[in-house]
Amino acid sequence: MRLHPLAADGLIAAALTTVAVLLGTEAVAQGWPALDPLAWTLVALLTLPLVLRTRAPVTVCLAVHACWALYITLDYWPVVGSFGPMLAVYTVAAQRPTRTAAACAALLAGVWIYAGLRSDSGAMASVAGQAVGFPLVLWRFGYVARRTGELTLRLRAEQADRARREVAEERVRIARELHDVVAHHIAVINVQAGLARFVFRSDARTARDALDTIEGASGEALAELRRMLGLLRADGVQGADGAPAPGLDQLDEMVTRVRTGGVGVRLRVTGTPRALPPGVQLCVYRVVQEALTNVLKHAPGADAAVELAYRAGEVTVSVTDDGPAGRPAGGPDPDTPAERGGHGLIGMRERAKLYGGTIAVGPRSEGGFGVRLTLPTPVQVARRGDSVRE
């Protein structure tokens, strides 16, 4: 549980006040006058303002040093009031530039020497050493804390920027693949339009079927084009390499390749298989590919299962493995930095979101890891074959 900074500073101030009170009761035993109500008031003014030390560090530092100087002038034991000014100097060094911190450290050194002079101490050499050593140590610790905080903020900003770049790169890669899908639809439309024109007068039924195909292909092409334009956010993207986009008919080949890598994979299809838009097939294929690749990388020797289910209004694919529970097989090793490889989970989530689906990724209660993707079936496909319910 993390405390609010103001609450944490309040606890620190209360702790220092308690220590000062306990020391104050020992003043007489140390040969100093007993603390009267004025002295106790000054002790409170030396520690309680530290509640605001992170909000106004310089102001608090000047205030507690002024109270400490007054406390020393009234010939009370200086050690009782020394903790507040020391913490104030550290706070200034941790939050303000070096020049400001050096000035506050010099102020602490000056008041410390003044306390030694007022006490008529015979060990001024020791007092002078403390007056130099304590401020330097406090300044150094504060400086390290400030640099650490700055580096932490910079690291977080760089991590957020890197995550944004990875998402953008993944979206561009998906858009490249969708380019092939759209090109396929346009090619189908072109061929069917030529056929309809050729048989328009001689075979009206064939022409009508060709026009129906054109209607369906054009609708799917427009949908894929909208998705691609929604994803694409970078200029100067290279074109696709011309290879056909993989589909569900290539899942067997992928499973065979993974088996050769040493992973026992079972592929199971439930429901009535039916034609799906190329973009949906590509999404399912890539998610299965990424999940099996993670099994190869992070759980060598584990067995995996791929289940493709055709349901009414949707298609679902799940990839599970029996890797050890302490090390998620389908996901990255907790002790190892994430590898590039398509940015893994980022790519899966982006693809699922692109087609209006959902994806669940995480360790399984019985051990291993699981990925489950559910994609809605387009309306055109639903009309043609979504009659199976399980």
Side-chain angles (χ1 to χ4, degrees):
M1 183 178 64
R2 298 183 62 182
L3 286 176
H4 189 277
L6 191 61
D9 290 338
L11 291 176
I12 292 174
L16 287 182
T17 302
T18 302
V19 171
V21 169
L22 293 177
L23 281 176
T25 59
E26 297 294 325
V28 175
Q30 297 296 325
W32 292 86
L35 273 65
D36 53 22
L38 176 59
W40 289 119
T41 301
L42 291 175
V43 169
L45 292 176
L46 280 167
T47 55
L48 295 181
L50 296 173
V51 175
L52 304 175
R53 68 187 183 92
T54 56
R55 297 195 174 188
V58 177
T59 302
V60 170
C61 183
L62 294 177
V64 297
H65 275 85
C67 291
W68 193 31
L70 178 59
Y71 177 88
I72 293 169
T73 303
L74 297 176
D75 293 326
Y76 297 114
W77 189 21
V79 174
V80 176
S82 62
F83 298 103
M86 293 172 69
L87 180 58
V89 169
Y90 166 81
T91 305
V92 173
Q95 294 195 353
R96 292 295 183 265
T98 303
R99 184 175 300 179
T100 303
C104 291
L107 177 62
L108 174 63
V111 178
W112 200 285
I113 292 176
Y114 174 66
L117 294 175
R118 290 287 302 182
S119 63
D120 294 328
S121 173
M124 278 303 299
S126 174
V127 172
Q130 295 172 6
V132 174
F134 286 161
L136 283 178
V137 170
L138 293 170
W139 172 82
R140 180 60 184 175
F141 275 106
Y143 173 79
V144 171
R146 179 165 61 88
R147 290 293 299 164
T148 302
E150 292 173 352
L151 292 175
T152 300
L153 292 176
R154 187 181 305 171
L155 178 61
R156 290 177 180 172
E158 290 176 354
Q159 289 175 338
D161 183 63
R162 182 167 61 251
R164 285 192 295 268
R165 288 199 306 270
E166 290 178 353
V167 170
E169 291 171 3
E170 186 65 24
R171 290 180 175 180
V172 169
R173 190 169 71 88
I174 297 172
R176 292 173 183 170
E177 295 177 344
L178 292 183
H179 169 272
D180 290 339
V181 175
V182 174
H184 166 76
H185 287 309
I186 297 300
V188 170
I189 292 172
N190 183 64
V191 172
Q192 294 296 323
L195 175 61
R197 180 179 181 183
F198 182 74
V199 300
F200 184 75
R201 296 185 184 276
S202 60
D203 191 343
R205 182 175 181 179
T206 302
R208 188 163 48 250
D209 290 342
L211 291 174
D212 290 341
T213 303
I214 290 173
E215 180 185 9
S218 62
E220 291 177 1
L222 286 173
E224 299 292 352
L225 189 58
R226 292 192 192 98
R227 294 188 181 106
M228 182 172 64
L229 294 177
L231 280 175
L232 198 56
R233 291 293 183 271
D235 296 328
V237 177
Q238 298 290 333
D241 57 6
L248 298 183
D249 57 344
Q250 294 175 282
L251 283 180
D252 284 326
E253 297 178 14
M254 183 203 304
V255 168
T256 301
R257 289 196 302 269
V258 175
R259 285 198 189 105
T260 61
V263 176
V265 185
R266 303 184 308 277
L267 175 61
R268 180 187 176 204
V269 179
T270 60
T272 303
R274 57 183 181 273
L276 295 174
V280 174
Q281 294 191 48
L282 177 62
C283 178
V284 173
Y285 182 92
R286 291 304 188 197
V287 168
V288 174
Q289 183 182 46
E290 183 65 39
L292 292 179
T293 300
N294 284 338
V295 176
L296 281 169
K297 291 193 298 184
H298 304 294
D303 292 330
V306 179
E307 182 175 349
L308 177 64
Y310 294 89
R311 296 190 174 91
E314 65 183 22
V315 61
T316 301
V317 64
S318 62
V319 182
T320 57
D321 60 67
D322 59 359
R327 184 183 184 187
D333 190 330
D335 299 326
T336 304
E339 300 180 13
R340 195 171 185 278
H343 309 311
L345 301 182
I346 295 177
M348 292 183 186
R349 294 193 179 100
E350 287 298 317
R351 291 181 185 278
K353 184 168 61 175
L354 176 65
Y355 287 94
T358 58
I359 189 168
V361 182
R364 304 163 62 211
S365 58
E366 58 270 32
F369 206 79
V371 176
R372 182 180 179 86
L373 171 70
T374 301
L375 295 178
T377 302
V379 176
Q380 294 89 342
V381 177
R383 292 199 192 105
R384 293 200 293 267
D386 269 348
S387 59
V388 178
R389 294 190 180 274
E390 299 176 6

